Amino acid sequence: MIHLAWPWMLLLLPLPWLLSRLLPASRPQGAALFLPFAAQVAGAPALAARSNPRLRLLLLALVWLSLVAAAMRPQWLGETQPVPTEGRRLLLAVDVSRSMAAQDMAGGYNRLQVVQAVAGQFIEGRKGDQVGLILFATQPYLQAPLTSDLDTASRFLQQAMIGMAGTNTAIGDAIGLAIKRLRDNPATGGEGDTVLVLLTDGSNNAGAMPPLNAAKLAADAGLKVYTIGVGAQSGGGLFGLARGNSDLDENTLQHIAQITGGEYFRATDANALQDVYARIDELEPATGRDQWYRPTTEWFIWPLALALLLSLPAVLWRTST
């Protein structure tokens, strides 16, 4: 799209006409040189043919018009493009152990499917922030590094599968991996800008690092941890069989959040999980703002070059006459 940066320069367009009306005509000054053959040269037919003041005036008008066009700074504006911003750094650690396949959430979906739907919306709402994704079970894996590309982080979450990282649950190792990644990429805005949201449905039964020790290291590193326990409430079923999530270690999750300055939440269904992420949004609002820019290409050089080219024949015409 063509854009004029200084359109008010168009007001200069009638300036030559105004000067010709307001200023008196110039008069020759000083002694004149007498040439006895000047009358004969002036009467030559070849020179008279070249003497066309209207054509020269047209050239001068085009020169001035080109100069005014260049002064208005014509520009070509490209398509709007986003500018990466650095807001809060937020890591999501999602449990993909075998127990996440339990279908005790509303709607007949398993726990991981509900987490993918709700957490995906949470990621997409973190405009301006950097979001990373850790998937953990027997071992933790960094599925998506910290990035401002929220669509990519959300897509990696949707591609997560149960059992891809093992069958057990290593909560402490997941926190340890988050600490390592954050140390490898130190924050520029301060320690309070780093948050880990850890979601699990079980207790720590794998890994080399105990969860509470990992929580202390996280607190020393300035990493605030919010923990979420998912799964239906445990209770008695038919024939005395237990139903719901009886493996969840809520006490450990509460201590992790307390040590690091975060909070613990319980999500028994999709609506409760949405409320949890909404609450985290309130506690840790997105600090970044969407910024956009349009690449600009300056075009003033073209009318300026045209004015230079037209001024040459105008000057040569004057000297030839």
Side-chain angles (χ1 to χ4, degrees), residues 86-90 130 146 179 181-195 221-223:
E86 291 188 4
R88 198 181 307 278
R89 303 192 310 163
L90 191 145
Q130 293 181 322
L146 286 168
I179 297 172
R181 297 306 303 178
L182 294 174
R183 283 177 176 173
D184 293 340
N185 299 276
T188 58
E191 294 181 351
D193 293 332
T194 303
V195 174
L223 175 63

Side-chain angles (χ1 to χ4, degrees), residues 92-251:
L92 266 66
V94 178
D95 189 350
V96 291
S97 62
R98 182 173 51 191
S99 59
M100 290 292 287
Q103 296 181 342
D104 59 351
M105 309 288 274
Y109 298 101
N110 63 39
R111 296 169 183 172
L112 181 59
Q113 289 173 332
V114 173
V115 171
Q116 287 173 326
V118 178
Q121 297 176 359
F122 172 76
I123 292 175
E124 294 172 358
R126 305 297 301 189
K127 300 297 185 182
D129 286 355
Q130 293 181 322
V131 178
L133 176 63
I134 294 175
L135 301 179
F136 70 95
T138 306
Q139 294 179 338
Y141 294 95
L142 182 68
Q143 188 71 358
L146 286 168
T147 176
S148 301
D149 188 353
L150 304 183
D151 292 336
T152 298
S154 179
R155 184 165 60 251
F156 279 137
L157 176 61
Q158 305 307 318
Q159 295 173 353
M161 295 183 295
I162 294 173
M164 64 184 299
T167 58
N168 297 324
T169 305
I171 297 175
D173 285 2
I175 299 175
L177 178 58
I179 297 172
K180 181 179 183 301
R181 297 306 303 178
L182 294 174
R183 283 177 176 173
D184 293 340
N185 299 276
T188 58
E191 294 181 351
D193 293 332
T194 303
V195 174
L196 170 66
V197 179
L198 186 144
L199 185 146
T200 183
D201 69 337
S203 58
N204 187 81
N205 56 12
M209 182 177 293
L212 296 185
N213 291 349
K216 293 177 182 178
L217 292 176
D220 294 337
L223 175 63
K224 184 185 296 185
V225 182
Y226 291 92
T227 54
I228 305 174
V230 298
Q233 295 284 1
S234 60
L238 295 176
F239 308 106
L241 297 176
R243 63 179 180 84
N245 190 357
S246 59
D247 297 329
L248 184 63
D249 187 358
E250 293 191 83
N251 185 50

Side-chain angles (χ1 to χ4, degrees), residues 231-297:
Q233 295 284 1
S234 60
L238 295 176
F239 308 106
L241 297 176
R243 63 179 180 84
N245 190 357
S246 59
D247 297 329
L248 184 63
D249 187 358
E250 293 191 83
N251 185 50
T252 297
L253 296 178
Q254 289 172 353
H255 277 85
I256 292 174
Q258 181 180 4
I259 292 172
T260 60
E263 290 189 22
Y264 167 70
F265 303 95
R266 185 73 168 91
T268 57
D269 54 31
N271 292 331
L273 188 58
Q274 286 180 338
D275 293 339
V276 168
Y277 280 117
R279 176 58 179 162
I280 294 176
D281 266 331
E282 293 178 0
L283 295 173
E284 304 291 339
T287 58
R289 295 292 183 270
D290 286 342
Q291 297 183 13
W292 303 84
Y293 85 102
R294 302 189 70 169
T296 302
T297 303

Side-chain angles (χ1 to χ4, degrees), residues 15-25:
L15 182 61
W17 180 83
L18 291 176
L19 292 178
S20 65
R21 293 293 181 180
L22 298 178
L23 297 180

